[in-house]
Amino acid sequence: MVRFNLYSAEFDANPFDTYKELRDNHPCFWSEDAQKWVLTRHEDIVNALQDWQTYSSAKGNLVDEFPGRAGNTLGTMDPPRHDEVRSIVQSVFMKRNIKHLVEPIQQIARDAIKNNIKGKKVFDFSQDFAGELTYKVLATLLGLPENSYTHEVKNNAELMVQTDPKTRTKGPEHMAAFEWMKDYAAEVVELRSRDPGTDLVSQLITAEVDDRKLDLIQVQMTVTTLLMAGIESLGGMLKVFGFNLASFPEQRQKIIDDMSLLPDALEESMRYNTSAQRFRRCLTKDTTLHGQTMKKGDFVILAYGAGNRDERKYENPDVYDVTRNSKGHVGMGGGTHTCLGNSVARLAVKTAMEIFLEEVPQFSLAEPVERLDWVASSNFRSPVKLLLVKE
Ligand code: HEM
């Protein structure tokens, strides 16, 4: 009998065989383990993303949600409130010309290579490059006070996305991480209210759309979410890209020979292996799909990572091919809740990887892929450590 057990290390290591079995034989599947429905076909996921009236985010979008988060963040609101808040937050993302981040990111990438990687034969791409870069990019973007709680922010963001595999809920350490992050966000908001700068938090406090501002709780929750979403998703995106380029040297060589392939290679990385594997919705009415009737109030997992490998959408989906047109992938979600950080994240990863490939063009996995530990999260998937060896 097929199982969809999000709470096992085997599934974290390889969800793709299960995804295929579900796409082919159980496209609308009730998971006893998750106590939720699971959609795995690309078309069904895209339709659900468009139909927010039926597939609501208002009860939370994390597969295992934090109490008190739903309704207070962008990802956990439905229109019209969602659209109002999004236009305020988006106005901030747009107002800032994100191109100004290119030089700082280049510098951060060069420094990370010089300080953590040069002179080593084996290095941890996760810690030495992705982790450092992600924190610093987020700190620059949000205007976090310098050197404040660097490790705590990283550690708590990582803990927030995990679930206790035994209880299948957020455990005390995950709740404590969420509380810590909320307090930290409140401190940053308070600081920027007193002493505004040109950073995102200062702009969130003052941004107005149609004479409306965000209230302070919304600013605090938005900053909490940006820290979690930013650190885990951006770090994960970079780690998985590094993992793919280490695993497929002939694809990496194509990029080195023609750097203009880098943007497509990144899109293909998000199709093949997105770090944002699964998000959740709640049904607002009884809904029948592929002969299964899902009830109002049931939770549904949209398995983005499975939709991206759907052979009904992509030819040879299990092949990582940097020259393929991977348009339409749902590696950053879609519809109303399409990732708001998508341009910043793409810019950061492309800029950083360009420098990395220039300075460290030849590398491979330092240990067999079976030995990698994957983050224990029902939403996200990326290697905890990624030891690479220079060639
Ligand atoms: C700077 C980094 C990032 C920031 C600040 C950020 C922020 C956000 C925000 C605020 C949302 C909610 C949007 C809404 O509901 O209207 C969102 C959604 C999303 N983001 Fe990001 N994000 C970042 C990076 C990434 C990356 C790198 C990925 C994937 C590789 C990603 C995947 C997603 C997905 C899948 C959703 C949709 C969630 C859902 O369907 O409920 N994000 N992001």
Side-chain angles (χ1 to χ4, degrees):
M1 199 189 66
V2 60
R3 283 183 67 179
F4 183 83
N5 183 4
L6 286 171
Y7 309 97
S8 76
E10 292 75 35
F11 187 84
D12 291 333
N14 175 17
F16 300 106
D17 295 341
T18 310
Y19 287 163
K20 179 164 173 46
E21 166 71 14
L22 295 191
R23 277 194 310 267
D24 288 348
N25 299 317
H26 310 276
C28 180
F29 179 72
W30 173 255
S31 163
E32 281 298 330
D33 292 295
Q35 290 290 303
K36 293 172 187 70
W37 296 95
V38 190
L39 303 187
T40 41
R41 286 195 186 166
H42 186 272
E43 188 184 4
D44 294 333
I45 292 170
V46 169
N47 288 343
L49 283 170
Q50 300 300 337
D51 184 6
W52 57 264
Q53 291 92 340
T54 307
Y55 294 86
S56 162
S57 296
K59 294 250 163 27
N61 67 345
L62 296 180
V63 172
D64 300 298
E65 191 52 91
F66 287 104
R69 199 180 83 99
N72 281 313
T73 70
L74 259 184
T76 61
M77 291 173 188
D78 287 334
R81 194 153 158 252
H82 168 270
D83 296 357
E84 280 169 28
V85 176
R86 179 154 173 140
S87 61
I88 295 177
V89 182
Q90 198 162 22
S91 75
V92 171
F93 269 87
M94 280 164 54
K95 221 188 288 163
R96 294 173 66 79
N97 172 5
I98 56 170
K99 290 226 168 72
H100 79 281
L101 288 169
V102 170
E103 273 183 31
I105 295 170
Q106 287 173 331
Q107 194 54 48
I108 295 167
R110 285 204 182 92
D111 288 348
I113 295 170
K114 188 167 128 218
N115 299 332
N116 306 337
I117 299 176
K118 279 260 161 77
K120 284 187 195 163
K121 177 79 180 153
V122 176
F123 60 97
D124 179 6
F125 185 85
S126 168
Q127 181 91 356
D128 295 338
F129 193 67
E132 177 135 349
L133 194 117
T134 303
Y135 177 80
K136 289 191 172 160
V137 169
L138 258 274
T140 309
L141 183 71
L142 294 177
L144 304 182
E146 247 178 66
N147 296 326
S148 81
Y149 301 114
T150 311
H151 292 293
E152 288 87 345
V153 172
K154 277 202 242 175
N155 291 345
N156 285 303
E158 280 162 20
L159 268 174
M160 279 173 72
V161 303
Q162 299 179 15
T163 296
D164 185 320
K166 287 207 183 74
T167 61
R168 299 173 184 197
T169 53
K170 298 289 182 196
E173 70 275 37
H174 312 120
M175 287 305 301
F178 180 50
E179 292 304 322
W180 188 92
M181 201 64 97
K182 277 198 298 188
D183 289 347
Y184 177 69
E187 257 178 51
V188 177
V189 173
E190 212 262 318
L191 176 75
R192 291 300 165 222
S193 307
R194 275 190 282 115
D195 180 18
T198 52
D199 56 88
L200 192 63
V201 177
S202 301
Q203 295 188 43
L204 278 175
I205 295 166
T206 49
E208 280 184 33
V209 168
D210 299 335
D211 293 334
R212 291 190 56 175
K213 285 184 176 185
L214 293 176
D215 63 41
L216 279 184
I217 293 293
Q218 287 174 330
V219 176
Q220 182 197 356
M221 276 297 195
T222 302
V223 175
T224 306
T225 298
L226 290 178
L227 285 165
M228 178 193 78
I231 288 188
E232 180 51 40
S233 317
L234 184 56
M237 181 189 204
L238 196 48
K239 281 192 270 177
V240 169
F241 197 23
F243 170 71
N244 289 336
L245 296 185
S247 306
F248 304 108
E250 72 298 341
Q251 297 296 316
R252 182 178 75 234
Q253 194 56 47
K254 284 186 192 173
I255 307 172
I256 292 169
D257 293 342
D258 176 5
M259 274 290 177
S260 71
L261 284 175
L262 192 61
D264 286 346
L266 175 59
E267 293 308 309
E268 171 66 351
S269 189
M270 277 190 281
R271 180 200 70 80
Y272 181 75
N273 220 358
T274 181
S275 56
Q277 285 282 316
R278 300 163 289 266
F279 278 83
R280 175 183 107 174
R281 299 292 186 264
C282 185
L283 287 171
T284 58
K285 59 176 195 237
D286 290 3
T287 305
T288 301
L289 193 62
H290 302 295
Q292 302 286 335
T293 299
M294 305 182 280
K295 293 280 181 210
K296 177 178 173 177
D298 284 354
F299 287 116
V300 184
I301 294 172
L302 306 180
Y304 298 148
N308 283 345
R309 295 269 191 122
D310 190 346
E311 34 293 276
R312 293 155 199 81
K313 170 76 181 168
Y314 298 104
E315 224 171 276
N316 299 325
D318 294 328
V319 174
Y320 179 70
D321 173 2
V322 298
T323 61
R324 118 174 24 240
N325 177 359
S326 50
K327 232 173 142 193
H329 72 72
V330 283
M332 286 185 146
T336 316
H337 293 284
T338 299
C339 175
L340 188 61
N342 76 80
S343 334
V344 180
R346 285 178 161 111
L347 180 85
V349 173
K350 271 184 291 199
T351 307
M353 276 317 273
E354 197 169 348
I355 304 268
F356 188 85
L357 287 174
E358 267 168 33
E359 305 230 358
V360 191
Q362 303 304 339
F363 51 91
S364 55
L365 297 179
E367 52 186 359
V369 66
E370 299 75 32
R371 297 255 300 272
L372 290 184
D373 259 349
W374 297 82
V375 171
S377 167
S378 43
N379 278 78
F380 297 97
R381 178 176 184 270
S382 67
V384 177
K385 243 178 164 205
L386 182 59
L387 293 181
L388 299 181
V389 54
K390 287 192 228 159
E391 287 170 350

